[in-house]
Amino acid sequence: MNAEKSLIPGAANSEGSKSYVARFQDRLAEAHFSDFLNTRIKLSSLGVGTFPGAADDVTDVAVAAIVAQALQSGINVIDTGAHYRYGRAPRAVGAGIARAMAGGIRREEFFVLGKGGFLTYPEGRPEDPEAFFRDEIEAKGLGKGEDLARGVHCLSPEYLLWQLDQVRQQTGLETLDVFLVDQPEVHIPLIGKERMHQKLLAVFTALEEAVRAGKLRYYGISTFHACRVETDHPLFQSLTSLIGLAEKTAGQGNRHHLRVVQMPFNALMPEAYTRFSQVTGQGNIASTIQAAFQLKLTVMASHSLGKGLLAREEVPALQAAMPELANAAQRALQFVRSTPGVGTTLVGLSDPAHLADLLAVAQNLPLPKERYLTMYEKEQ
């Protein structure tokens, strides 16, 4: 109870985020921010991800510094996960948040996402993962063997809620703005899509209860393959099916809180924008990004630098279209950030020096749609 009382109260809201935008009106274009659906919460077009880096003290210090500087420089979206760097990433995020708030940033001004699903190994990957699952998860009533996929992912309400609480405690936040179920599609090869959806329904039910308890504001899913593959691929995820699960969870006449879908998107992985695979129920077939917009889901793009490849190697179409930017990394980020329908472009960072590219791109306007589309023409 005392730990809960010590958590920072509040969450991002319209008034706070508008105040945040005003802080940077002399340095950043207003177009750098956009509304999070109909909430009028302003989110930066670029956000800091905290997946990469070694599980050591040096990286903890670096990530904390990145988060603090980002929040104080016009980047108000921070993404972390319960299992990132063996559970160390959320603590580093918490340290960065504390530093930014000591510098005057208010809780209502920034937006934090957490993730759960993949197992958290606080002491590093165990020698005997099966024994770890048996002793630390099954014996504690957090999940059963049937909830485990590939030995690394647990899709049970109890475990996801435990991870939610872990992220809250480690970041120091009473309420997360969003909590994402990370890659539930990994269960499909083992149990099939229908059974996976049944498990997801139970998880969504638990997350709706967590919303009512004030532990989070919204929830969603993070994917790797599911939103990029062809419709007939076994791992394909229909957005309308997800919304159907959330509506069933909320109950008739009640509003669900499913609001975010995260997926890889970059110049080498453009399928979420170019592959028309989603039936929206509105008389058309759309790409995942277009369908999300129609269905009132916010898209947050991950893997925007292709695990660093796009920071090291130029894509000719991007280089030709954006000669004014300084390097390949900036052009790759500007490409994703300018994609119609992408709400926030997340960039995994563990080296404070790399934050400079993110902040440099933020100072530019997103590309006009016509200029953006020329990059696809040059690829053909």
Side-chain angles (χ1 to χ4, degrees):
M1 185 66 70
N2 291 334
E4 288 285 328
K5 286 184 178 179
S6 68
L7 297 178
I8 300 165
N13 62 31
S14 175
E15 181 181 354
S17 62
K18 287 178 181 176
S19 173
Y20 185 83
V21 173
R23 287 177 183 267
F24 303 99
Q25 61 184 358
D26 295 333
R27 284 183 280 164
L28 300 174
E30 190 174 346
H32 170 55
F33 299 92
S34 61
D35 284 345
F36 174 56
L37 301 173
N38 61 353
T39 64
R40 298 185 181 178
I41 297 171
K42 298 287 186 180
L43 301 185
S44 53
S45 61
L46 295 159
V48 169
T50 59
F51 177 80
D56 56 27
D57 293 343
V58 171
T59 306
D60 289 345
V61 171
V63 170
I66 288 168
V67 169
Q69 186 180 350
L71 290 174
Q72 293 174 303
S73 303
I75 305 297
N76 74 337
V77 179
I78 308 295
D79 175 273
T80 194
H83 74 289
Y84 284 6
R85 295 195 304 111
Y86 299 117
R88 297 178 71 126
R91 288 196 295 273
V93 168
I97 287 172
R99 191 181 307 176
M101 293 185 72
I105 300 298
R106 295 185 294 116
R107 174 63 186 101
E108 294 77 13
E109 295 180 306
F110 60 89
F111 195 91
V112 177
L113 301 94
K115 291 191 188 77
F118 285 99
L119 301 188
T120 302
Y121 299 127
E123 307 300 327
R125 186 168 177 81
E127 292 185 9
D128 188 344
E130 291 185 5
F132 174 88
F133 184 83
R134 220 171 30 244
D135 297 341
E136 299 298 325
I137 299 173
E138 197 163 21
K140 296 178 180 179
L142 299 177
K144 302 176 182 177
E146 64 188 39
D147 300 319
L148 186 66
R150 289 168 37 184
V152 296
H153 193 286
C154 184
L155 191 58
S156 75
E158 297 82 5
Y159 192 64
L160 269 293
L161 289 179
W162 178 82
Q163 289 190 309
L164 166 63
D165 284 337
Q166 287 293 298
V167 175
R168 291 172 55 240
Q169 294 291 333
Q170 292 172 330
T171 58
L173 302 177
E174 185 175 87
T175 304
L176 293 184
D177 298 289
V178 173
F179 188 74
L180 302 177
V181 184
D182 197 5
Q183 296 184 47
E185 69 261 29
V186 301
H187 289 259
I188 293 175
L190 295 174
I191 62 176
K193 191 176 296 184
E194 182 178 354
R195 179 64 182 140
M196 186 274 286
H197 277 163
Q198 291 173 357
K199 286 182 171 292
L200 206 52
L201 179 64
V203 169
F204 283 3
T205 299
L207 294 179
E208 289 285 354
E209 293 172 356
V211 171
R212 289 190 286 273
K215 294 183 176 184
L216 69 152
R217 295 290 305 282
Y218 307 102
Y219 62 91
I221 71 165
S222 176
T223 71
F224 189 79
H225 296 291
C227 289
R228 300 186 299 113
V229 295
E230 297 277 8
T231 308
D232 58 357
H233 192 285
L235 298 183
F236 172 75
Q237 179 59 63
S238 159
L239 297 187
T240 53
S241 294
L242 279 181
I243 290 174
L245 293 175
E247 288 174 341
K248 187 173 182 179
T249 295
Q252 189 172 5
N254 298 320
R255 297 181 64 183
H256 65 78
H257 293 83
L258 176 72
R259 293 290 188 276
V260 175
V261 58
Q262 192 177 114
M263 67 200 71
F265 182 76
N266 59 54
L268 301 179
M269 302 168 70
E271 299 88 354
Y273 185 73
T274 60
R275 176 165 285 157
F276 284 65
S277 57
Q278 298 279 349
V279 177
T280 66
Q282 300 181 21
N284 68 310
I285 297 176
S287 70
T288 300
I289 291 175
Q290 292 170 326
F293 177 79
Q294 293 179 32
L295 296 168
K296 296 180 173 55
L297 295 172
T298 283
V299 170
M300 293 196 174
S302 62
H303 297 77
S304 54
L305 291 178
K307 295 186 177 180
L309 176 65
L310 289 166
R312 300 187 299 271
E313 299 184 14
E314 291 278 8
V315 175
L318 274 60
Q319 188 174 23
M322 294 175 278
E324 71 279 7
L325 296 180
N327 55 44
Q330 291 183 22
R331 283 184 273 271
L333 296 180
Q334 179 72 319
F335 170 81
V336 179
R337 173 199 189 219
S338 300
T339 305
V342 171
T344 296
T345 297
L346 297 168
V347 190
L349 297 173
S350 60
D351 183 344
H354 294 160
L355 180 61
D357 283 324
L358 191 75
L359 299 179
V361 174
Q363 293 177 12
N364 290 267
L365 288 170
L367 298 177
K369 186 175 181 180
E370 296 75 15
R371 187 176 172 194
Y372 173 84
L373 292 175
T374 63
M375 289 181 279
Y376 290 92
E377 295 170 2
K378 292 178 181 178
E379 288 281 0
Q380 295 174 354

